[in-house]
Amino acid sequence: MAKIAQGAMYRGSVHDFPEFDANQDAEALYTAMKGFGSDKESILELITSRSNKQRQEICQSYKSLYGKDLIEDLKYELTGKFERLIVNLMRPLAYCDAKEIKDAISGIGTDEKCLIEILASRTNEQMHQLVAAYKDAYERDLESDIIGDTSGHFQKMLVVLLQGTRENDDVVSEDLVQQDAQDLYEAGELKWGTDEAQFIYILGNRSKQHLRLVFDEYLKTTGKPIEASIRGELSGDFEKLMLAVVKCIRSTPEYFAERLFKAMKGLGTRDNTLIRIMVSRSELDMLDIREIFRTKYEKSLYSMIKNDTSGEYKKALLKLCGGDDDAAGQFFPEAAQVAYQMWELSAVSRVELKGTVYAANDFNPDADAKALRKAMKGIGTDEATIIDIVTHRSNAQRQQIRQTFKSHFGRDLMADLKSEISGDLARLILGLMMPPAHYDAKQLKKAMEGAGTDEKTLIEILATRTNAEIRAINEAYKEDYHKSLEDALSSDTSGHFRRILISLATGNREEGGENRDQAQEDAQEIADTPSGDKTSLETRFMTVLCTRSYPHLRRVFQEFIKKTNYDIEHVIKKEMSGDVKDAFVAIVQSVKNKPLFFADKLYKSMKGAGTDEKTLTRVMVSRSEIDLLNIRREFIEKYDKSLHQAIEGDTSGDFMKALLALCGGED
């Protein structure tokens, strides 16, 4: 186990067992394995209740008392995942890591994810212990084995990390921070090709404190986080390794929280990953991992393990987890700061929003109008030309094309397009040809037409648009439908949901920065509402969430966690229901990270059986000139595949081609 710095708070979930007696524990384990069958409950209870140091003493006592190897006996008595977990717990951490790496590079193929996880996350001291343990256990040189099983820049970075020579100095030079940020920029974004050696040198050697400041400086310099540049400049396992290094530098517990979540989400469980992390972090930072897990995924690590595993294996994992953060009084106050730091990393105020569609250079509306007319004349339609022109012009340029088309041919371009193309492609192309405010107004009108109301569309648009966008929508709605948007919402919705939508539709959200004192009062206002008092709760939430500025609300969310130990989104989902809940959740998610909100919408529109083409079209059209590039980055970060890949796998034909053109590239 790594040493805890003097005076540092212990953040592991497994502690030294009080009144520990190694001989007594060795006898208890021998008894549990004696005779026919074994007492697995006693084995897991004892081993998960002892620290690693104490387990080593038990192994020694067992050999002294019975002349047998405890690990070999455990292997003989236990089976499957439970055996792997218990046996890993009985090894010193360095030997456990050595075994994992040996398994990862043995046989046909290599488990690169295992190599990345271990070598990107260990401290200098842990790395030195790992190298020594590998040599002792296998009489082989770890560096030589890594070199023999990997290649290229991936191999070079692994070897650098393996040296365990990362600088530890917390005294940071401002000049060097700026120089490193500039060097990374010049090695990637400003260079034809990429200077991988510069990335390897800086990310593999500088101290964590220094690199965090470099990342901040890089964001200021380039307008994009370092992760985005790594994805754009690097590829394959080397890219994954460098992203893991960056994540561990920002927050090692957050990296492991994400790894654990991905190990259990979806069909099947990646048990090797789950075991490796639960064993290796149980005496280091499991409490921090739990806090971040609860904040980031709105469920406790304990509950996810409980729902995803079974039998003694589950019981042992839950013991290592150490507690359920969904239980009353279990959620830690430190999560407030963790949550705020996470939101700040991706806050739109600090990251330049970028679309994927720009004004075309050398734009010629006359030539475009003629090309479109030609594409629609005669028998058949040239969809490829229509897609190419419409998806590669800004909306302002499209309006010029419409005007020129009418001037030249005396015809309405929109009417001609409607008659020539159909289905999902028509919906997408026609949406792109409309001014944004009129497009949103039409989507709102359609959501309220006929029997039933499409509440999700109403929420998506009204909860995410800026004041200026909302005011433009109001004008467009009045112009196109001769009725105010407020009147339409009043006629088609009811109760608190109607009040929320009308409040959002006024476009009068405050636009200033944060006010710390006011944020504390706002947080207290919504925290004070008694549980079960639904009407009062919804009114208070509406007063704050529908009127305050985004920067101010981010501060309110932080203060709320400090006062309640819960993320505001968690409370909304727990205390509210129906459309009111959905509306408030959308506002909160939009405030925290609007591109991520839309990335989730896109993912959900394409996952599972069938595709929600309307939502897919609406988001791609409305965000293409605002923040679709940011949405792409959030999509790949959260779902481990690019938006381009998702569209390619879930759509087809000309509709797919048009969507991919809007997407703007493969991440």
Side-chain angles (χ1 to χ4, degrees):
M1 172 179 149
K3 292 177 183 175
I4 304 297
Q6 192 171 1
M9 186 184 296
Y10 180 71
R11 301 297 291 160
S13 55
V14 174
H15 302 259
D16 283 336
F17 188 74
E19 300 177 14
F20 170 66
D21 185 323
N23 285 340
Q24 187 175 312
D25 285 349
E27 290 172 13
L29 288 172
Y30 183 76
T31 302
M33 293 187 284
K34 202 166 69 172
F36 184 74
S38 55
D39 183 354
K40 297 181 180 67
E41 189 80 33
S42 295
I43 293 170
L44 81 86
E45 184 65 34
L46 191 151
I47 290 175
T48 58
S49 300
R50 306 299 187 267
S51 67
N52 192 275
K53 179 176 175 291
Q54 290 174 333
R55 293 182 208 123
Q56 304 318 307
E57 292 182 42
I58 295 170
C59 282
Q60 294 270 355
S61 295
Y62 193 90
K63 185 162 276 188
S64 298
L65 289 171
Y66 306 108
K68 302 177 74 172
D69 186 290
L70 176 54
I71 289 180
E72 290 305 316
D73 279 5
L74 288 167
K75 281 182 181 178
Y76 181 79
E77 292 292 332
L78 309 177
T79 58
K81 295 173 284 191
F82 180 55
E83 176 216 325
R84 185 178 178 89
L85 175 60
I86 294 297
V87 167
N88 276 12
L89 284 169
M90 294 307 300
R91 293 190 177 106
L93 177 59
Y95 284 82
C96 193
D97 280 350
K99 177 70 165 61
E100 291 292 312
I101 287 183
K102 188 72 169 65
D103 289 347
I105 57 179
S106 294
I108 298 171
T110 304
D111 183 354
E112 290 86 1
K113 289 183 179 178
C114 174
L115 295 181
I116 291 170
E117 179 196 300
I118 293 175
L119 298 184
S121 65
R122 300 311 191 241
T123 65
N124 288 347
E125 184 182 356
Q126 289 168 339
M127 206 69 83
H128 299 154
Q129 291 170 351
L130 163 60
V131 170
Y134 193 91
K135 186 80 171 175
D136 181 50
Y138 306 110
E139 298 180 347
R140 297 178 64 86
D141 180 67
L142 177 54
E143 183 178 323
S144 298
D145 282 1
I146 291 285
I147 290 171
D149 210 65
T150 59
S151 61
H153 298 297
F154 178 58
Q155 176 199 91
K156 290 173 188 173
M157 186 61 178
L158 290 176
V159 170
V160 168
L161 294 172
L162 206 54
Q163 307 313 303
T165 54
R166 185 178 295 285
E167 297 163 357
N168 286 317
D169 192 0
D170 284 338
V171 179
V172 177
S173 160
E174 268 186 50
D175 290 341
L176 187 56
V177 165
Q178 291 176 347
Q179 184 62 53
D180 281 351
Q182 187 63 32
D183 286 348
L184 287 171
Y185 187 35
E186 290 174 0
E189 297 283 337
L190 292 183
K191 189 178 178 67
W192 180 259
T194 306
D195 182 0
E196 289 88 352
Q198 194 71 273
F199 278 83
I200 290 170
Y201 175 72
I202 293 173
L203 294 182
N205 290 282
R206 300 290 193 233
S207 73
K208 286 192 170 187
Q209 179 60 25
H210 174 88
L211 284 171
R212 288 181 192 120
L213 295 175
V214 169
F215 299 160
D216 289 343
E217 184 64 28
Y218 190 90
L219 183 60
K220 288 179 197 170
T221 303
T222 67
K224 62 170 68 173
I226 187 69
E227 291 91 337
S229 290
I230 288 172
R231 288 194 190 95
E233 298 297 325
L234 311 180
S235 62
D237 293 323
F238 181 46
E239 174 198 344
K240 292 171 187 171
L241 173 59
M242 298 306 261
L243 287 172
V245 169
V246 169
K247 285 176 182 177
C248 288
I249 285 161
R250 290 197 187 278
S251 169
T252 303
E254 185 176 351
Y255 170 71
F256 282 113
E258 184 180 310
R259 291 280 295 160
L260 285 168
F261 179 75
K262 288 179 178 177
M264 292 183 280
K265 78 169 185 176
L267 293 173
T269 304
R270 297 170 182 84
D271 293 292
N272 288 352
T273 301
L274 180 56
I275 291 168
R276 188 169 57 244
I277 297 174
M278 294 302 292
V279 169
S280 66
R281 311 314 293 186
S282 60
E283 293 182 53
L284 294 174
D285 52 6
M286 185 57 70
L287 299 188
D288 296 319
I289 292 169
R290 277 170 46 183
E291 286 175 11
I292 293 172
F293 195 99
R294 179 67 190 78
T295 302
K296 193 167 184 176
Y297 302 112
E298 298 164 18
K299 65 177 78 175
S300 68
L301 175 59
Y302 188 98
S303 65
M304 196 160 186
I305 291 171
K306 191 174 180 180
N307 293 329
D308 212 64
T309 58
S310 61
E312 283 84 11
Y313 175 54
K314 173 174 77 174
K315 292 175 185 175
L317 287 171
L318 293 178
K319 286 277 289 180
L320 294 180
C321 184
D324 186 357
D325 301 313
D326 283 337
Q330 287 296 311
F331 195 48
F332 301 100
E334 290 92 334
Q337 196 56 39
V338 170
Y340 189 65
Q341 287 169 353
M342 282 164 44
W343 300 336
E344 283 295 286
L345 285 175
S346 57
V348 292
S349 60
R350 291 179 56 188
V351 178
E352 183 184 355
L353 297 179
K354 288 186 177 180
T356 53
V357 175
Y358 300 89
N361 294 323
D362 302 321
F363 172 58
N364 185 335
D366 185 69
D368 284 347
K370 288 176 181 175
L372 287 171
R373 175 67 179 144
K374 183 180 177 183
M376 294 185 285
K377 252 176 95 173
I379 298 171
T381 305
D382 181 0
E383 286 89 353
T385 295
I386 295 171
I387 291 168
D388 184 56
I389 292 174
V390 174
T391 60
H392 291 96
R393 306 294 184 268
S394 68
N395 194 275
Q397 290 175 334
R398 294 181 204 125
Q399 303 318 309
Q400 290 183 56
I401 295 170
R402 285 179 66 178
Q403 185 60 52
T404 303
F405 194 91
K406 183 164 276 189
S407 298
H408 277 11
F409 307 111
R411 303 172 66 92
D412 186 316
L413 176 56
M414 296 290 278
D416 280 7
L417 287 167
K418 272 184 189 176
S419 69
E420 292 293 328
I421 54 178
S422 60
D424 296 324
L425 178 63
R427 189 182 297 116
L428 179 66
I429 294 296
L430 292 169
L432 288 167
M433 292 304 302
M434 295 178 72
H438 289 267
Y439 178 71
D440 278 347
K442 184 176 182 180
Q443 299 308 302
L444 292 170
K445 180 74 163 60
K446 281 179 170 289
M448 294 183 280
E449 273 178 349
T453 303
D454 180 358
E455 292 86 0
K456 289 183 178 178
T457 297
L458 298 180
I459 291 168
E460 177 197 307
I461 295 173
L462 295 176
T464 61
R465 301 312 192 245
T466 65
N467 283 345
E469 288 167 340
I470 292 285
R471 290 167 191 156
I473 292 168
N474 274 291
E475 290 177 15
Y477 199 95
K478 185 80 171 176
E479 180 185 336
D480 293 345
Y481 308 113
H482 310 293
K483 183 178 184 179
S484 74
L485 176 58
E486 183 178 332
D487 286 347
L489 291 168
S490 295
S491 301
D492 210 66
T493 58
S494 61
H496 271 91
F497 181 55
R498 175 170 63 194
R499 291 175 59 201
I500 293 166
L501 294 181
I502 289 174
S503 177
L504 294 172
T506 61
N508 286 321
R509 183 181 293 283
E510 296 168 0
E511 294 189 335
E514 68 176 53
N515 179 322
R516 190 181 291 265
D517 292 338
Q518 182 63 52
Q520 290 174 345
E521 290 179 22
D522 287 342
Q524 192 65 54
E525 172 80 6
I526 51 183
D528 279 346
T529 311
S531 181
D533 185 357
K534 194 172 178 182
T535 301
S536 176
L537 184 71
E538 291 172 351
T539 300
R540 293 184 189 210
F541 268 73
M542 189 182 82
T543 302
V544 175
L545 294 183
C546 295
T547 64
R548 305 291 194 252
S549 72
Y550 273 27
H552 180 80
L553 282 173
R554 277 193 281 274
R555 174 63 66 177
V556 172
F557 297 166
Q558 182 195 22
E559 298 298 331
F560 185 86
I561 293 185
K562 285 180 180 176
K563 293 177 186 299
T564 67
N565 287 341
Y566 282 100
D567 180 80
I568 196 165
E569 196 174 330
H570 170 79
V571 172
I572 291 168
K573 289 177 177 177
K574 184 180 177 184
E575 298 291 339
M576 301 180 195
S577 60
D579 298 326
V580 170
K581 177 194 74 175
D582 292 342
F584 282 146
V585 166
I587 294 168
V588 170
Q589 291 178 345
S590 181
V591 169
K592 287 181 181 178
N593 186 339
K594 195 178 290 186
L596 178 57
F597 170 80
F598 283 112
D600 285 339
K601 294 285 287 185
L602 286 170
Y603 177 76
K604 288 171 183 172
S605 75
M606 292 183 280
K607 78 168 187 175
T611 304
D612 179 359
E613 289 89 355
K614 290 182 181 178
T615 298
L616 178 56
T617 298
R618 188 171 59 247
V619 175
M620 294 294 287
V621 168
S622 65
R623 311 313 295 183
S624 60
E625 290 184 59
I626 299 174
D627 55 2
L628 189 52
L629 190 61
N630 306 78
I631 292 167
R632 273 172 39 186
R633 291 169 184 160
E634 296 293 347
F635 194 98
I636 197 169
E637 175 72 22
K638 185 165 183 181
Y639 299 111
D640 283 337
K641 65 176 171 181
S642 68
L643 177 57
H644 190 283
Q645 289 171 325
I647 290 170
E648 230 173 12
D650 211 66
T651 59
S652 61
D654 291 322
F655 180 53
M656 178 186 75
K657 292 174 186 174
L659 288 172
L660 292 178
L662 286 182
C663 186
E666 169 73 274
D667 292 301

